[in-house]
Amino acid sequence: MKVVVSLGGSVIVPKELDINFLRKFSELIKRRKRDKFCIVCGGGHIARIFTKEFKKLGLSENEAHVLGIFATHLNASLIKFMLGEEATLYLGDPRKAKWKSRIIVSGGYLPGWNTDVCAAYSAKALKADLLVNISNVKGIYDKDPRKYKKAKLIKEMTWKEFMEKFSNVKMKPGTNFIWHPLAALICSKSKMRVVFIGKNIKNFEKLLSSKKFVGTVIHP
């Protein structure tokens, strides 16, 4: 199976490196020898250090975006090193991504594109069987679960339903998206199935093994 993983920066570097998660994640990827993986890394806390107060630092919005991209490249390099020689670091245009090894690790590419967009373009270029978004929540909820205790997990929805409900978000450096509006458009037009899950590695392995898992599926 060919799998593209959008690995949120919030699970790589929430505030400090999540070493336990990173070890378990890399061990799983190395263990799944029959699968190909493209792992697109987010910037996490490192990116937000620079993008949160970019105006106070005298930076332009474009410069803040570029710093955020560098942060994703740093995290991608870390993941590549943890995965070893079997993995290839690719920091080029995700629209031109190719399977040059069993595991590809990448990050951001252009200002204004977050790693969701890069993951969506990568999945399209690589003709992936599955696109998975791993974040610090178990899936997509009807309300922000960090603010509302009674928020309910949405088990499945269509891209049309998703865009009607969640795509009206202002774009600026460091913005948190459930899934970037451009990425949603790419996935919708490509009739791509995308699964949103949390950082539980056993749950991720269940998904890869076509077993029952906890998360949200968005389908055409």
Side-chain angles (χ1 to χ4, degrees):
M1 181 164 60
K2 295 180 287 188
V3 184
V4 172
V5 179
S6 179
L7 190 62
S10 61
V11 299
I12 302 173
V13 193
K15 287 190 175 179
E16 296 181 357
L17 282 172
D18 191 335
I19 295 172
N20 184 51
F21 168 80
L22 292 172
R23 282 178 175 169
K24 289 181 179 180
F25 177 81
S26 59
E27 286 169 2
L28 173 61
I29 299 300
K30 287 188 282 188
R31 191 165 66 244
R32 303 280 306 191
K33 296 294 184 183
R34 293 184 180 181
D35 298 320
K36 287 185 175 183
F37 291 94
C38 173
I39 302 160
V40 185
C41 300
H45 184 64
I46 297 171
R48 300 197 191 288
I49 289 174
F50 296 103
T51 59
K52 187 178 180 181
E53 303 290 356
F54 71 93
K55 289 183 179 179
K56 292 181 181 178
L57 292 168
L59 305 179
S60 68
E61 189 169 311
N62 186 71
E63 288 168 336
H65 276 297
V66 170
L67 288 173
I69 290 169
F70 287 160
T72 71
H73 292 179
L74 179 63
N75 288 341
S77 298
L78 169 64
I79 299 295
K80 184 268 177 278
F81 292 149
M82 293 187 74
L83 291 171
E85 294 181 359
E86 206 172 5
T88 299
L89 184 65
Y90 176 70
L91 302 177
D93 189 337
R95 296 167 296 186
K96 299 178 181 179
K98 294 180 180 179
W99 291 111
K100 293 187 177 181
S101 61
R102 187 178 76 83
I103 306 169
I104 303 168
V105 187
S106 67
Y109 181 62
L110 289 178
W113 289 10
N114 73 354
T115 44
D116 300 340
V117 175
C118 292
Y121 274 131
S122 296
K124 183 179 179 180
L126 296 168
K127 297 180 181 179
D129 301 305
L130 180 64
L131 173 52
V132 183
N133 180 70
I134 298 179
S135 70
N136 56 4
V137 291
K138 293 180 180 179
I140 297 175
Y141 289 76
D142 60 348
K143 299 177 183 179
D144 189 340
R146 292 164 293 189
K147 296 180 180 179
Y148 302 96
K149 292 182 179 179
K150 293 184 179 180
K152 294 181 180 180
L153 179 68
I154 301 169
K155 292 185 178 181
E156 63 176 314
M157 64 195 310
T158 64
W159 281 114
K160 182 180 179 181
E161 290 170 336
F162 175 86
M163 289 190 282
E164 287 174 352
K165 189 172 180 64
F166 297 113
S167 290
N168 187 24
V169 182
K170 291 183 179 179
M171 310 220 185
K172 59 182 179 179
T175 299
N176 269 318
F177 297 96
I178 293 176
W179 193 243
H180 194 289
L182 176 55
L185 186 61
I186 296 164
C187 294
S188 176
K189 286 187 174 182
S190 302
K191 297 182 178 180
M192 207 177 294
R193 178 174 172 264
V194 182
V195 179
F196 293 74
I197 59 172
K199 61 192 291 185
N200 184 294
I201 295 298
K202 288 183 178 179
N203 189 54
F204 181 32
E205 188 162 20
K206 286 179 181 178
L207 169 61
L208 295 175
S209 302
S210 299
K211 296 180 180 178
K212 188 176 180 180
F213 66 93
V214 176
T216 302
V217 178
I218 304 185
H219 52 79

